[in-house]
Amino acid sequence: MEYPSKLIEDAVNEIAKLPGIGKKTALRMALHLLRANEERTQLLADSLVNLRTKTQYCTHCHNIADAPVCAICSSSKRDKQTVCVVENTTDLIAIENTSQFNGLYHVLGGVISPLEGVSPHDLNIDSLINRVKDLSLDIKEIILALSATMEGDTTSFFITKKLRDYPVKITTIARGVPIGSELEYTDEITLGRSILGRKAYEH
Amino acid sequence: MEYPSKLIEDAVNEIAKLPGIGKKTALRMALHLLRANEERTQLLADSLVNLRTKTQYCTHCHNIADAPVCAICSSSKRDKQTVCVVENTTDLIAIENTSQFNGLYHVLGGVISPLEGVSPHDLNIDSLINRVKDLSLDIKEIILALSATMEGDTTSFFITKKLRDYPVKITTIARGVPIGSELEYTDEITLGRSILGRKAYEH
């Protein structure tokens, strides 16, 4: 595509590096900024730079934080005996939005993936072990909330093995037929697992 | 949605003001920037601010430009007797990408829309009339390439009326069945117009 201005071209190329954004969408965004108030662009640019340069990571759970300890880890209302292990902050936010979990988190920063060159050492697994080891923290349960993929399962297996010798209960989130979906459209593996993982009917 | 950090929240809110971007996509972009090199964010932010603060508009055709006169208007290879009137730079780029037009452009900056409070005075219509008036420019044809909407048609009608007394040919781009689409799925108005606007078969 030919652009009428080098400045537009630069902006489009930079915007199009964001995930899920193609050149056409990037151009629409660039032209939108050109039409809007100059202040808007400045605010956007500043917020991005601030995000990248000022964000900290919680020293306990590795969640993104505004302080050395994140709001969840420092809250007195959370159940500190239960730790939910997640892949990244997006998953943490997704679980927080369910309002069904009141414990702490541990953000791994990824999952073990030999194909992408991610080994256990690249993840925050050692610090998880250290949290469990530290008896003053009194962690009773580790919930593994990783994706239902080969990589997620491998990571869950690895963590379970590492934690075998500690007096902590290890659970994983339930796998099964998603709420609202019809049986005939559910894939075989999910359906199979949901039969194997059947639960007593609550009545 | 609750965010773990005020910085993330600010960035998500600013990104989500872009057209076609919701909070979820904005969050994905923000987390992507956090994972990527710090330089990447700086480049993106700089390109946006540069775009907004340094972009100029061509004094002839109002296209976005790096200089007072844009590359198209200053090119010696373009046919300066034909001027294609477009709504905005996006449409100009779309026409340029067809490689079917070698004349000059005139960017209106919008179309007449009483509902959105856009009157002829908000658009670059007067400067178009002045270009046609200026006999030294020797403009022979004005092609109206506006959207096939009520607003586009109104604007075309307005411009045609304004130019009635000048010795210039006024044309509009062809309306009809799009290339590659089947007749039975073409809407009635388009099909009706394509019959009214039928052309002699070239053989």
Side-chain angles (χ1 to χ4, degrees), chain A:
Chain A
M1 214 191 284
E2 291 236 357
Y3 301 97
S5 149
K6 182 86 181 64
L7 293 166
I8 285 253
E9 189 172 348
D10 288 348
V12 166
N13 286 338
E14 287 303 324
I15 299 173
K17 285 179 190 162
L18 291 169
I21 302 293
K23 294 264 165 125
K24 260 194 162 165
T25 313
L27 178 63
R28 208 171 62 225
M29 288 180 184
L31 294 173
H32 171 88
L33 287 176
L34 269 181
R35 276 195 302 273
N37 216 317
E38 192 170 316
E39 206 184 34
R40 269 278 309 282
T41 308
Q42 195 62 56
L43 278 174
L44 172 62
D46 289 348
S47 71
L48 297 180
V49 171
N50 282 341
L51 171 73
R52 190 61 188 83
T53 54
K54 294 190 189 156
T55 303
Q56 304 178 53
Y57 291 90
C58 175
T59 50
H60 295 3
C61 73
H62 308 283
N63 184 17
I64 292 163
D66 290 332
V69 177
C70 77
I72 295 175
C73 283
S74 55
S75 163
S76 60
K77 289 184 187 149
R78 312 284 303 209
D79 162 20
K80 293 187 195 305
Q81 300 191 318
T82 314
V83 173
C84 180
V85 177
V86 291
E87 183 179 335
N88 52 40
T89 304
T90 326
D91 294 352
L92 186 154
I93 294 174
I95 294 177
E96 275 296 281
N97 283 335
T98 66
S99 309
Q100 298 294 323
F101 179 67
N102 193 39
L104 304 181
Y105 290 93
H106 192 89
V107 181
L108 291 182
V111 280
I112 299 171
S113 169
L115 277 176
E116 292 180 24
V118 183
S119 80
H121 298 291
D122 301 319
L123 307 174
N124 302 317
I125 293 181
D126 286 341
S127 60
L128 174 65
I129 313 290
N130 288 337
R131 283 177 82 180
V132 174
K133 262 188 197 168
D134 188 342
L135 295 177
S136 71
L137 294 177
D138 195 26
I139 295 173
K140 295 262 195 283
E141 181 177 356
I142 296 286
I143 303 174
L144 298 168
L146 302 175
S147 297
T149 58
M150 177 108 90
E151 288 81 9
D153 286 348
T154 307
T155 312
S156 293
F157 181 69
F158 184 86
I159 293 174
T160 312
K161 239 178 71 182
K162 282 272 186 187
L163 290 177
R164 207 166 33 187
D165 301 331
Y166 300 100
V168 68
K169 186 176 162 191
I170 301 173
T171 57
T172 64
I173 53 170
R175 313 283 192 212
V177 181
I179 312 298
S181 69
E182 296 188 41
L183 275 204
E184 72 174 299
Y185 299 121
T186 308
D187 67 283
E188 295 152 25
I189 296 174
T190 303
L191 198 52
R193 282 222 197 171
S194 79
I195 290 172
L196 290 177
R198 64 193 178 277
K199 285 180 62 181
Y201 200 75
E202 285 157 28
H203 54 102

Side-chain angles (χ1 to χ4, degrees), chain B residues 55-71 73-74:
Chain B
T55 303
Q56 304 177 54
Y57 291 90
C58 175
T59 49
H60 294 5
C61 72
H62 308 283
N63 184 16
I64 293 163
D66 290 331
V69 177
C70 77
C73 283
S74 55

